[in-house]
Amino acid sequence: MQMANLRINAERFNATLQSTCSKWGALAAPSTGMCRLTLSQEDKEARDWLVGNIFAIRKGADATKKKPIGMGSHMDTQPAGGRYDGILGVQAALEVLRTLHDNNVQTHCPVALVDWTNEEGARFAGAMMASGVWSTKSSTPLQACWDVRDNDAILMKTALEDIGYLGSTPCDYRENGLECHFELHIEQGPLLERANKSVGVVTSVQGMKWYAIRVTGIEGHSGTTPMCDRSDALVTASRLIAAVRDAALTTGLGVATVGVINSDTSSQATIPAGVDFIIDIRCSTDEMVDQLASAIFKAFDAITMEEGNGTAYEIKRTWGLPESQFHQTCIDSVRASALKEVNNDQIMDMKSKAGHDSAWTSRVCPTSMIFVPSKDGISHNPNEYTSPEHCALGAQILLQSVLHYDEQVHKGVY
Amino acid sequence: MQMANLRINAERFNATLQSTCSKWGALAAPSTGMCRLTLSQEDKEARDWLVGNIFAIRKGADATKKKPIGMGSHMDTQPAGGRYDGILGVQAALEVLRTLHDNNVQTHCPVALVDWTNEEGARFAGAMMASGVWSTKSSTPLQACWDVRDNDAILMKTALEDIGYLGSTPCDYRENGLECHFELHIEQGPLLERANKSVGVVTSVQGMKWYAIRVTGIEGHSGTTPMCDRSDALVTASRLIAAVRDAALTTGLGVATVGVINSDTSSQATIPAGVDFIIDIRCSTDEMVDQLASAIFKAFDAITMEEGNGTAYEIKRTWGLPESQFHQTCIDSVRASALKEVNNDQIMDMKSKAGHDSAWTSRVCPTSMIFVPSKDGISHNPNEYTSPEHCALGAQILLQSVLHYDEQVHKGVY
């Protein structure tokens, strides 16, 4: 059999994707949404079913090639997420392994499926956590990740132990490396759909930074404190949050979002004295991220000066992912594989606007991603949807990308 | 001994006030703030020490007078409150009982100390809860109060049982009535201090209404959703919260506060689809409350129309306390008693801008209040402070108000 003709089993693949989502972490019907928080019982059961570990390696023929070609993504979801973000990439990797097995394909390099832990950062703060640790390039090393607590004050390390996935294999690319890393993912935005394309060849991931803001004022009684005597932290925080959106729109530099807000007080009758929120800024380049951040904080200064009524704010950089350039060899493998399935006019080169585990792997091994369309651009939402045809198309391109890369390695081209 | 010369023991009174605050619910030193949430262990221990029940009645001489003259306030505090709001009034009532006892005073009517449960509404939503139930005029009857849950989902009824204060005495003025109700309280605002006065004779309590607002948008990914495609519930909520303050300032009708805000999402990488907040509106008259509410909601409509990006909001009336007029007989007792202690230029008639248990008692029995100054007008804050001299002055006026009212009842004047 010609490797170029090797095809995934689209029906099996889509059926497995849907049935495992229904079993582990499905939101109540009729929603097809997901809540599979990292290291939860649902995540454990999905992992148990999958392989029993996050690296599932299929041997290759060439004993000199120790490092597998990686196919990675993540199986955890947002608290109200969908069935495709991350899950699609891992399921597609499984389908690739099944296809290789069913067809007795002997690759030169080993081939590995990788389920990266805590990509979402929704239960334990810090997105793309395990791939960041593995790459050793993240500012949060292993022990610091283990020390993160969820909202119930459970340590990440305890959660790993509780579901039996603490493991002893080093999470470090130098000891447990990959030849390269491919990731199939949904776009999570509207660009492919709007351009009427089927496949995105991903060339980079945009830069992003998170800033924790704390606004402080003076607590007071909601009935007895005259309006003109108030230092209301929530009013100021509100003006700042509106300014975050306004600055992103005005400058056109990228996107800026406040997803989380917390007020110190839980009393309706108290003027809030402390409010925390987090700004998520993402732009095509790191320089643009910094420019947008500057524009936002300039607006903050003007607001607190003119309308702050004695409130103040502090900024703390909490997390960031520098702009990531993917590797030309992997990009070429994806494009060549896509062209086998669809015409060139169905393919679009694109930057990823979301962070992905591939952003970290790209720092230590050749990496690229395959994007398939998201209906209405919706993601992080139970209504997230990608058609079975697009899922299968992505899985097929993932298979062929692996085989193409494997062939190039064998030929000594890469 | 002439009753008019009867004096409280100021030293004992202030020492008791401070030592019981230090024992039950004190925030960590050097703060002198309090966290004595209703029905908490600290609240239980303070109650146990006090009397073992919320009504402590001292018998009178006249057997035909069944209903006691009430001296009420509350011992619970805000999560970060002070040592005077509520606590002063109950401690002063205790000092009055001690003074009557020490001097073997025989009043005509019985005299009662009342510690009203859950005045703050900080742990179980719904301020002035027990006095509202007792008056039977609140829109939240007993069973509905029992059914309220705190943030840990503990039922109010369970909390009452847990600390041993569920009791069997009916909380109903028709079965367990008061001849009248006096309440000593700190002003909680800056007016007395600014006017350089020592005593406020309180003639009414301003009207107040709470509105729960829910803003809804569409959840989305913070990286991949273009700014112009977003329906961000938190951005809209922020614009509305700023508008609440702006409307109160522009109209000058009263005060409006947002103390509590909650977003559905806890993920930094998700555009919030649902945000809840509560507006607290207070004005001199019920009509002005409605006018200010109208101005706020008109601004809300303009904002969601012009800048709402497809978000929407809903309003729910959750709680209210209509404007309360106090009774002339009680007001006269307070003023006559104040004039025994200070010159007329130290006394000021005033409306209460905060809600109090007296607002509910005034609906079913003659009621008035005594205000003493709050340093810098600060309350609902650990820095809340009233001098020992002003505390003792208030307690002395409370004692004389009770004796004055008792005498008038005996003479058949009231």
Side-chain angles (χ1 to χ4, degrees):
Chain A
M1 183 182 204
Q2 282 275 322
M3 284 306 101
N5 295 332
L6 194 62
R7 301 202 69 78
I8 63 148
N9 179 334
E11 195 182 334
R12 169 179 66 189
F13 165 55
N14 279 304
T16 306
L17 171 62
Q18 295 298 331
S19 67
T20 54
C21 281
S22 296
K23 257 188 195 153
W24 298 298
L27 297 179
S31 172
T32 57
M34 294 292 291
C35 177
R36 193 192 283 166
L37 291 171
T38 194
L39 310 185
S40 63
Q41 183 61 23
E42 293 75 21
D43 191 32
K44 169 192 163 38
E45 289 175 12
R47 285 167 176 240
D48 288 349
W49 165 81
L50 180 66
V51 273
N53 209 331
I54 63 162
F55 277 65
I57 303 174
R58 185 175 185 270
K59 283 189 183 158
D62 185 345
T64 67
K65 293 290 172 192
K66 303 289 187 201
K67 291 195 288 185
I69 293 174
M71 306 175 291
S73 203
H74 59 96
M75 297 227 292
D76 67 323
T77 75
Q78 290 284 324
R83 300 190 157 205
Y84 304 91
D85 173 3
I87 297 175
L88 172 65
V90 179
Q91 289 283 352
L94 175 66
E95 178 58 31
V96 169
L97 293 181
R98 283 175 163 175
T99 302
L100 297 177
H101 179 76
D102 290 354
N103 293 276
N104 294 309
V105 174
Q106 186 80 302
T107 55
H108 307 288
C109 299
V111 178
L113 170 160
V114 187
D115 170 28
W116 296 107
T117 295
N118 195 27
E119 194 274 347
E120 295 292 359
R123 178 176 172 195
F124 297 99
M128 294 153 259
M129 193 181 264
S131 52
V133 170
W134 179 84
S135 75
T136 74
K137 307 301 181 196
S138 160
S139 58
T140 316
L142 183 64
Q143 186 62 50
C145 293
W146 280 349
D147 290 344
V148 176
R149 290 177 189 271
D150 69 5
N151 284 340
D152 297 324
I154 296 170
L155 282 171
M156 172 124 182
K157 188 173 184 184
T158 308
L160 279 162
E161 282 168 345
D162 284 351
I163 72 163
Y165 280 88
L166 183 60
S168 57
T169 311
C171 184
D172 185 323
Y173 80 100
R174 293 163 300 195
E175 308 201 44
N176 195 16
L178 294 173
E179 182 70 30
C180 64
H181 185 262
F182 290 103
E183 182 171 7
L184 167 64
H185 208 283
I186 55 171
E187 181 201 336
Q188 307 185 272
L191 303 183
L192 284 171
E193 188 182 68
R194 284 189 190 163
N196 206 22
K197 309 278 185 187
S198 303
V199 181
V201 177
V202 187
T203 58
S204 65
V205 176
Q206 66 181 356
M208 55 194 83
K209 282 185 184 171
W210 288 358
Y211 297 90
I213 309 295
R214 178 159 180 81
V215 183
T216 48
I218 299 170
E219 211 157 68
H221 189 292
S222 64
T224 58
T225 315
M227 294 306 294
C228 55
D229 288 352
R230 298 177 174 210
S231 285
D232 186 323
L234 182 54
V235 168
T236 298
S238 295
R239 297 196 203 278
L240 302 186
I241 290 169
V244 169
R245 175 174 170 83
D246 294 343
L249 279 172
T250 310
T251 62
L253 286 164
V255 293
T257 311
V258 177
V260 173
I261 184 168
N262 284 301
S263 170
D264 287 0
T265 179
S266 58
S267 161
Q268 286 96 322
T270 300
I271 298 163
V275 174
D276 294 285
F277 62 89
I278 294 170
I279 313 175
D280 170 316
I281 300 177
R282 311 194 188 204
C283 303
S284 299
T285 69
D286 295 338
E287 199 189 345
M288 288 162 81
V289 169
D290 290 336
Q291 283 172 5
L292 180 47
S294 296
I296 288 169
F297 298 135
K298 199 174 152 191
F300 280 15
D301 287 336
I303 288 166
T304 46
M305 190 88 77
E306 288 163 30
E307 304 177 277
N309 299 294
T311 55
Y313 76 96
E314 282 171 19
I315 307 168
K316 201 174 123 195
R317 267 285 312 277
T318 60
W319 185 82
L321 180 70
E323 179 191 355
S324 315
Q325 288 298 334
F326 286 159
H327 200 279
Q328 199 58 47
T329 55
C330 287
I331 295 169
D332 289 346
S333 290
V334 169
R335 189 178 291 110
S337 303
L339 280 168
K340 285 186 194 155
E341 296 299 315
V342 292
N343 288 333
N344 195 43
D345 63 6
Q346 285 291 300
I347 301 171
M348 188 162 107
D349 278 16
M350 58 200 307
K351 278 176 188 284
S352 171
K353 292 179 181 297
H356 295 289
D357 293 308
S358 288
W360 286 120
T361 64
S362 72
R363 284 164 167 72
V364 294
C365 70
T367 294
S368 184
M369 295 182 72
I370 306 152
F371 272 3
V372 286
S374 293
K375 183 166 183 294
D376 300 326
I378 291 173
S379 185
H380 285 195
N381 183 309
N383 294 320
E384 180 182 276
Y385 181 75
T386 296
S387 71
E389 295 72 24
H390 282 143
C391 289
L393 175 62
Q396 178 64 28
I397 295 172
L398 180 65
L399 166 68
Q400 286 296 331
S401 298
V402 168
L403 293 175
H404 183 269
Y405 197 96
D406 186 58
E407 190 61 28
Q408 302 301 310
V409 171
H410 184 56
K411 286 183 188 163
V413 179
Y414 292 172
Chain B
M1 182 182 203
Q2 282 274 321
M3 285 307 101
N5 296 331
L6 195 63
R7 300 201 69 79
I8 63 149
N9 179 334
E11 195 182 333
R12 168 179 66 188
F13 165 55
N14 279 306
T16 307
L17 171 62
Q18 296 297 332
S19 68
T20 54
C21 280
S22 295
K23 257 188 196 152
W24 298 298
L27 296 179
S31 172
T32 57
M34 294 291 291
C35 177
R36 192 191 282 167
L37 291 172
T38 193
L39 310 186
S40 63
Q41 182 61 24
E42 293 76 21
D43 192 31
K44 170 193 162 40
E45 289 174 14
R47 285 168 176 239
D48 289 349
W49 165 81
L50 181 65
V51 275
N53 209 332
I54 64 163
F55 277 66
I57 303 174
R58 183 174 187 274
K59 281 188 185 162
D62 185 345
T64 67
K65 291 291 173 192
K66 304 288 188 203
K67 291 195 289 185
I69 293 174
M71 305 176 292
S73 204
H74 59 96
M75 296 227 292
D76 67 324
T77 75
Q78 290 286 322
R83 300 189 156 204
Y84 304 91
D85 173 3
I87 296 174
L88 172 65
V90 178
Q91 290 282 354
L94 175 66
E95 178 58 32
V96 169
L97 293 180
R98 284 174 162 176
T99 303
L100 296 178
H101 179 76
D102 291 353
N103 292 277
N104 294 309
V105 174
Q106 185 80 301
T107 55
H108 307 289
C109 300
V111 178
L113 170 160
V114 187
D115 170 28
W116 296 107
T117 296
N118 195 27
E119 194 272 349
E120 295 292 0
R123 178 176 172 195
F124 297 99
M128 294 153 259
M129 194 182 264
S131 53
V133 170
W134 178 83
S135 76
T136 74
K137 307 299 180 197
S138 160
S139 58
T140 315
L142 184 63
Q143 185 63 51
C145 291
W146 281 349
D147 290 344
V148 175
R149 289 176 190 274
D150 69 6
N151 284 341
D152 296 324
I154 297 169
L155 282 172
M156 171 124 183
K157 189 173 184 185
T158 307
L160 278 162
E161 282 168 345
D162 284 351
I163 73 162
Y165 282 87
L166 183 60
S168 56
T169 311
C171 185
D172 185 323
Y173 80 101
R174 293 164 300 194
E175 309 201 41
N176 195 17
L178 294 173
E179 182 72 29
C180 64
H181 185 263
F182 289 105
E183 182 171 7
L184 166 64
H185 208 282
I186 54 170
E187 181 201 337
Q188 307 185 273
L191 303 183
L192 283 172
E193 188 182 67
R194 283 188 190 166
N196 205 22
K197 309 278 186 186
S198 303
V199 182
V201 176
V202 187
T203 58
S204 65
V205 176
Q206 67 180 357
M208 55 193 84
K209 283 185 183 170
W210 287 359
Y211 297 89
I213 309 296
R214 178 160 179 79
V215 183
T216 48
I218 298 171
E219 211 158 68
H221 190 291
S222 64
T224 59
T225 315
M227 294 307 293
C228 54
D229 287 350
R230 298 176 174 211
S231 284
D232 186 323
L234 182 56
V235 168
T236 298
S238 296
R239 297 196 201 278
L240 302 186
I241 290 168
V244 168
R245 175 173 170 85
D246 295 342
L249 279 172
T250 311
T251 63
L253 286 163
V255 293
T257 312
V258 177
V260 173
I261 184 168
N262 285 301
S263 169
D264 288 0
T265 180
S266 58
S267 161
Q268 286 96 319
T270 299
I271 299 164
V275 174
D276 295 284
F277 63 89
I278 294 170
I279 313 173
D280 171 316
I281 301 177
R282 310 191 187 205
C283 303
S284 300
T285 68
D286 294 339
E287 199 187 346
M288 287 162 80
V289 169
D290 290 337
Q291 282 172 4
L292 180 48
S294 294
I296 288 168
F297 298 136
K298 199 174 152 190
F300 280 16
D301 287 336
I303 287 166
T304 47
M305 191 87 78
E306 288 162 30
E307 304 178 276
N309 299 295
T311 55
Y313 76 95
E314 282 172 20
I315 307 167
K316 205 174 121 193
R317 268 285 311 277
T318 59
W319 185 81
L321 179 70
E323 178 191 353
S324 313
Q325 289 298 333
F326 287 159
H327 200 281
Q328 200 56 49
T329 56
C330 287
I331 295 171
D332 289 346
S333 291
V334 169
R335 189 179 290 109
S337 304
L339 280 168
K340 285 187 195 153
E341 298 298 317
V342 292
N343 287 333
N344 194 43
D345 63 5
Q346 284 292 300
I347 301 171
M348 187 162 108
D349 279 15
M350 58 199 307
K351 279 176 187 284
S352 170
K353 291 181 182 296
H356 294 291
D357 294 309
S358 287
W360 287 121
T361 64
S362 72
R363 285 164 166 72
V364 294
C365 70
T367 293
S368 182
M369 295 182 74
I370 306 151
F371 272 2
V372 285
S374 292
K375 183 165 182 294
D376 301 325
I378 291 173
S379 184
H380 285 196
N381 184 309
N383 295 320
E384 181 182 275
Y385 182 75
T386 295
S387 71
E389 293 73 26
H390 281 143
C391 289
L393 174 63
Q396 177 64 28
I397 296 172
L398 180 65
L399 166 67
Q400 286 296 332
S401 298
V402 167
L403 293 175
H404 183 270
Y405 197 96
D406 186 58
E407 188 61 28
Q408 301 301 312
V409 170
H410 184 55
K411 288 184 186 162
V413 179
Y414 291 173

